[in-house]
């Protein structure tokens, strides 16, 4: 995946944090996954739909773009302007109460959002796994704390995140939280390589939250945090 193909779509208006396209690109380049035009991908926590657009263009599959904070109508207009309205279906849904059919999606992708709603053990198996097809996969890229500071989020990040510091977990912690299942073949987690570039793109904007992040980048964000990459491969069938 070449992020240069999406530069014209990336702007202060569409960004809601560190560059989601860079995070998505690392996930898809690290674990290539072939999709067919009749496959469906759930982009969970899609924000303004940047990742949904890239997923559609890169895979050729249909995309359901789900977000709780951005209305479906707002994203529908954006997808129409981008010429992708026939391939992407926007919905406004809560990840805790998804209304989809069982095994509806070949792939689940969640960029810079999973940590907001999935920080409890068993969440993936109970709330998300039922909607994934056998032999499917999940790609997750989220802000977290570096492995060497596992368990220290509250101590190290509170001045920046306040009460939300507990949401930042290390890749090792996320692997434990994903856990195991008779349907899961493997769970791989790592500290992602796109950290600096994704943050640079965000901090270069003049959005209110970016300006606030600038104040903490050198003292807290850069030394202690990372992006946690998570790849979950499902078994082809369950006996």
């Amino acid at each position: 995946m070449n992020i240069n193909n999406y530069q014209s779509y990336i702007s202060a208006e569409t960004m809601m944090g560190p560059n989601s396209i860079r995070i998505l690109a690392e996930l898809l380049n690290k674990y290539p996954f072939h999709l067919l035009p009749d496959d469906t991908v759930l982009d969970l926590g899609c924000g303004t739909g940047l990742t949904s657009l890239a997923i559609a263009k890169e895979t050729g599959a249909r995309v359901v773009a789900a977000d709780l904070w951005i209305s479906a109508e707002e994203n529908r207009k954006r997808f129409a302007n981008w010429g992708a309205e026939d391939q992407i279906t926007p919905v406004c849904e809560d990840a805790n109460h998804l209304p989809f059919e069982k095994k509806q999606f070949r792939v689940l992708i969640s960029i810079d959002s999973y940590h907001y709603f999935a920080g409890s053990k068993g969440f993936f198996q109970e709330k998300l796994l039922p909607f994934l097809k056998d032999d499917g996969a999940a790609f997750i890229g989220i802000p977290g704390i570096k492995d060497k500071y596992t368990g220290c989020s509250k101590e190290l990040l509170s001045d920046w995140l306040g009460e939300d510091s507990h949401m930042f977990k290390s890749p090792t912690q996320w692997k434990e939280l994903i856990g195991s299942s008779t349907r899961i073949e493997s769970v791989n987690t790592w500290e992602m390589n796109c950290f600096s570039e994704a943050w640079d793109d965000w901090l270069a904007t003049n959005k209110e939250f970016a300006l606030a992040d600038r104040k903490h980048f050198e003292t807290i964000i850069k030394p202690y945090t990372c992006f946690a990459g998570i790849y979950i491969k499902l078994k082809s069938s369950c006996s």
Side-chain angles (χ1 to χ4, degrees):
M1 176 177 168
N2 186 349
I3 66 167
N4 292 327
N5 295 335
Y6 303 96
Q7 292 298 341
S8 62
Y9 302 99
I10 300 169
S11 66
E13 178 185 354
T14 56
M15 293 177 71
M16 297 179 67
N19 193 335
S20 59
I21 296 295
R22 290 191 185 276
I23 299 170
L24 175 67
E26 180 170 336
L27 291 168
L28 296 184
N29 290 339
K30 187 176 180 70
Y31 292 101
F33 195 95
H34 179 67
L35 288 164
L36 300 173
D38 59 351
D39 285 328
T40 305
V41 176
L42 174 60
D43 185 10
L44 187 59
C46 68
T48 59
L50 270 175
T51 50
S52 303
L53 176 70
I55 293 164
K57 287 181 172 292
E58 294 296 320
T59 69
R62 294 170 295 176
V63 180
V64 173
D67 199 85
L68 183 62
W69 297 344
I70 307 296
S71 72
E73 184 57 32
E74 182 179 338
N75 274 339
R76 185 175 291 108
K77 291 177 181 178
R78 201 170 358 253
F79 296 144
N81 289 336
W82 290 344
E85 69 272 26
D86 292 337
Q87 197 176 350
I88 309 174
T89 302
V91 298
C92 187
E93 299 291 349
D94 186 333
N96 288 280
H97 308 286
L98 295 175
F100 305 119
E101 297 179 4
K102 303 292 186 183
K103 298 187 178 182
Q104 181 175 341
F105 303 103
R106 176 65 62 191
V107 164
L108 178 147
I109 294 177
S110 187
I111 307 298
D112 198 14
S113 61
Y114 192 81
H115 56 301
Y116 286 110
F117 51 77
S120 59
K121 194 164 187 177
F123 183 94
F124 181 81
Q125 288 91 334
E126 179 183 350
K127 302 292 187 178
L128 302 179
L129 184 57
F131 303 115
L132 287 173
K133 294 182 176 182
D134 295 333
D135 201 30
F139 298 81
I140 301 167
I142 45 178
I145 197 162
K146 294 179 180 179
D147 266 327
K148 63 182 178 180
Y149 300 118
T150 295
C152 298
S153 294
K154 184 176 181 180
E155 173 187 351
L156 297 174
L157 309 182
S158 291
D159 286 349
W160 171 42
L161 299 172
E163 294 182 355
D164 290 338
S165 59
H166 72 279
M167 294 189 301
F168 275 44
K169 306 179 191 305
S170 68
T172 296
Q173 286 175 306
W174 278 113
K175 186 168 186 175
E176 293 173 353
L177 285 172
I178 298 296
S180 60
S181 163
T182 56
R183 296 190 60 209
I184 294 177
E185 179 177 302
S186 61
V187 179
N188 296 326
T189 61
W190 70 100
E191 294 181 12
M192 301 185 74
N193 295 321
C194 61
F195 180 88
S196 295
E197 293 85 354
W199 268 107
D200 286 347
D201 293 340
W202 169 240
L203 296 178
T205 72
N206 287 318
K207 296 189 76 168
E208 178 183 355
F209 288 111
L211 295 175
D213 288 340
R214 285 183 199 172
K215 299 176 183 178
H216 299 285
F217 186 74
E218 292 295 334
T219 57
I220 297 177
I221 300 171
K222 184 177 179 179
Y224 302 129
T225 75
C226 67
F227 290 127
I230 306 170
Y231 173 69
I232 305 165
K233 179 72 176 68
L234 302 191
K235 296 178 182 178
S236 58
S237 64
C238 181
S239 56

